[in-house]
Amino acid sequence: MHLHSRRRFAAGLVTAGFTAPWLAKRCLAQDELPIADAPPEQTDAALERIFVDNSEPPEGEYVVKGLYDWPLWWEETPLEMAVWPADAETIDYAHLPSPNSDASFALNDAALRRIVASHGYSRLAAAPPLVLFGVRGARRAAEPTSPPDFENEVEIVEVPPDHFDYKCLLGVWNTESRKVWVTAASTAPHVAYLYAQREASTFSNEANMMPTGLYRYRVGTHRNGTPSLQPGAFRTAERAFAVLRCVQYGPLTMSRGQYWDTAPTNHGNNIHAGTYGTRADRPRFWSAGCQVLPGYYSDENGVPSEENAFPQGDWARFRIAAGLARAPRITRHEELAPGRFNVETSEDGRRYEYLLTTGRDVRLAGEGRDARTLRFGSSGPKVKALQAALGLPPGQRDGIFGPGVQKLVLAKGDTHTPIVDARLASVLGFDL
């Protein structure tokens, strides 16, 4: 792995046949730092800066080596496109039946409740009524003609996820009104970060993908202390859970046989504005592992863009659907270094549950064909039975599928997935 200088990077653009000489000059500029999530017409030097600042490690500039080794990463057809693996090789689909129809199906309160019951997400019974959720591998059946609002149900279709466009959904589920708010999103890292991860000299801190499960989040500043910070985002409250990292040479892919990182760390799987979504010659979103949706910020204080900007303003509407103000009220704005600030808002610390599932799970739940599984966030007697099967002593069987159980399942299950279905339960010696 060779670390390229900015000057070598600019020269690489010319070698690759890039015909904009001003771009090479821009990339050599050291003092061009973008404001937080500026509009998409910004310079390529600013795009480069944001790429670095949205990398996973808070302190890590070294992720930029992936950018330098791949100078045309922003093209619509990159030099190397990531490949979504076949179902049998995925972390979230291997235990599910294959898709049997292209027909649309309903995402609604009933389907989400069946998923909660079948996965043992019992703690949601005591959770606040606004639950955040993600649906990996799904889109609306028809393109919306107006900004999203809470609905009784949304017709969606299953689509293969990818690492370049919005092929997922993010939403808010109001368990009291039994309505859902849904918008296009991504729950997978962008292909450029996958490349950076594979080229890294270590197995950590470049890019990752979190498996489906139930996670805890709190409002806070995403990428605090960087030029690309986003106040009022949703940050993971749990520092220890398994994530998948692309480290093997060959096709860029997130197959379940890649490297499972179970070390306690800040993986950076936050929920925030994806920043880009309109220009064909730029990434559709920025994410090294975060859950992102279309949206921008309008100024250096990180205020979300105009609410009536559709669809670019969906980030602002997502915050409103989650019961927050459109623009967070900044209570602290402390300069740490030129262009870098510590920012806090009046809503920081507010807690949410985040349910990450798949489009296929939603379809099967609607058809009444959902099957019981256990995974991160599950709890109850079945988890206690799993803990016993994994060899935990009685005093440690708390009935909570947390990072320790997840790590044991990955170690003993020999299936390269932290999801326990009926077949794996039988292998482990208990009845699911």
Side-chain angles (χ1 to χ4, degrees):
M1 181 66 222
H2 301 288
L3 292 176
H4 300 333
S5 66
R6 286 177 177 266
R7 203 166 292 278
R8 184 172 179 181
F9 168 64
L13 295 178
V14 178
T15 302
F18 205 85
T19 58
W22 61 269
L23 174 60
K25 295 179 181 179
R26 289 284 191 180
C27 291
L28 294 176
Q30 296 283 351
D31 56 353
E32 291 189 15
L33 295 178
I35 60 177
D37 294 338
E41 61 269 15
Q42 65 191 226
T43 67
D44 287 271
L47 291 174
E48 175 191 337
R49 180 72 261 170
I50 290 180
F51 176 83
V52 176
D53 281 329
N54 278 278
S55 61
E56 181 182 330
E59 73 287 352
E61 294 285 331
Y62 60 88
V63 72
V64 82
K65 63 178 174 285
L67 169 64
Y68 287 167
D69 272 2
W70 197 10
L72 299 183
W73 60 271
W74 56 74
E75 287 191 336
E76 186 165 5
T77 306
L79 299 182
E80 182 177 4
M81 177 56 78
V83 178
W84 190 261
D87 283 353
E89 300 303 319
T90 63
I91 58 177
D92 298 311
Y93 295 88
H95 63 286
L96 296 175
S98 301
N100 57 12
S101 173
D102 294 329
S104 65
F105 48 94
L107 169 61
N108 55 24
D109 175 86
L112 291 174
R113 288 181 187 276
R114 286 193 67 104
I115 290 172
V116 168
S118 63
H119 298 343
Y121 296 150
S122 57
R123 76 169 187 248
L124 282 182
L130 296 179
V131 175
L132 312 181
F133 67 88
V135 184
R136 180 169 287 158
R139 62 169 175 81
R140 283 179 175 265
E143 289 295 322
T145 57
S146 61
D149 200 354
F150 276 97
E151 304 173 72
N152 289 324
E153 64 181 32
V154 177
E155 283 293 309
I156 66 174
V157 294
E158 185 179 349
V159 295
D162 66 24
H163 299 276
F164 194 70
D165 210 340
Y166 290 114
K167 295 294 182 66
C168 307
L169 300 168
L170 275 176
V172 180
W173 172 26
N174 189 323
T175 59
E176 288 185 347
S177 69
R178 296 177 179 265
K179 293 185 176 183
V180 293
W181 183 101
V182 181
T183 187
S186 177
T187 66
H190 187 270
V191 58
Y193 295 97
L194 289 189
Y195 183 91
Q197 175 69 80
R198 193 185 65 181
E199 299 300 308
S201 58
T202 66
F203 283 176
S204 62
N205 294 339
E206 296 283 4
N208 77 81
M209 189 167 74
M210 63 197 299
T212 50
L214 181 63
Y215 300 86
R216 291 187 170 97
Y217 277 69
R218 293 175 184 165
V219 176
T221 300
H222 170 70
R223 303 297 300 162
N224 208 4
T226 76
S228 299
L229 59 84
Q230 292 192 22
F234 301 83
R235 296 177 54 86
T236 48
E238 294 153 317
R239 292 180 59 86
F241 52 84
V243 295
L244 193 64
R245 299 188 185 277
C246 179
V247 301
Q248 298 176 9
Y249 275 90
L252 276 175
T253 185
M254 293 296 269
S255 65
R256 60 181 183 164
Q258 289 279 358
Y259 175 70
W260 279 102
D261 183 358
T262 60
T265 185
N266 180 11
H267 301 310
N269 299 87
N270 301 330
I271 301 174
H272 62 85
T275 308
Y276 295 94
T278 58
R279 291 178 62 174
D281 63 341
R282 295 293 180 266
R284 305 292 192 269
F285 62 89
W286 297 95
S287 172
C290 293
Q291 324 291 285
V292 297
L293 64 159
Y296 305 101
Y297 281 87
S298 61
D299 59 35
E300 62 186 1
N301 288 323
V303 176
S305 58
E306 290 293 333
E307 186 180 347
N308 60 4
F310 177 70
Q312 293 88 352
D314 277 358
W315 168 241
R317 284 183 283 272
F318 180 79
R319 281 180 44 85
I320 294 171
L324 304 176
R326 181 187 74 82
R329 182 171 64 85
I330 305 298
T331 57
R332 185 174 186 176
H333 194 264
E334 174 190 10
E335 187 169 19
L336 304 175
R340 298 176 182 269
F341 299 89
N342 174 34
V343 178
E344 299 175 0
T345 81
S346 60
E347 298 164 332
D348 285 2
R350 185 163 173 175
R351 299 182 180 184
Y352 290 85
E353 299 283 354
Y354 174 57
L355 189 165
L356 178 58
T357 187
T358 71
R360 194 170 310 172
D361 280 294
V362 174
R363 176 175 62 82
L364 293 172
E367 296 171 355
R369 297 198 295 135
D370 51 309
R372 175 174 287 277
T373 63
L374 299 176
R375 62 190 79 192
F376 193 87
S378 300
S379 58
K382 290 295 183 181
V383 178
K384 285 188 176 181
L386 169 62
Q387 291 172 323
L390 292 170
L392 290 177
Q396 296 181 23
R397 301 172 194 169
D398 57 5
I400 298 173
F401 198 128
V405 173
Q406 196 178 46
K407 188 172 183 178
L408 288 174
V409 169
L410 283 167
K412 289 192 175 184
D414 195 28
T415 61
H416 304 295
T417 176
I419 297 173
V420 178
D421 62 355
R423 188 195 65 80
L424 180 53
S426 178
V427 171
L428 294 174
F430 79 105
D431 181 16
L432 189 57

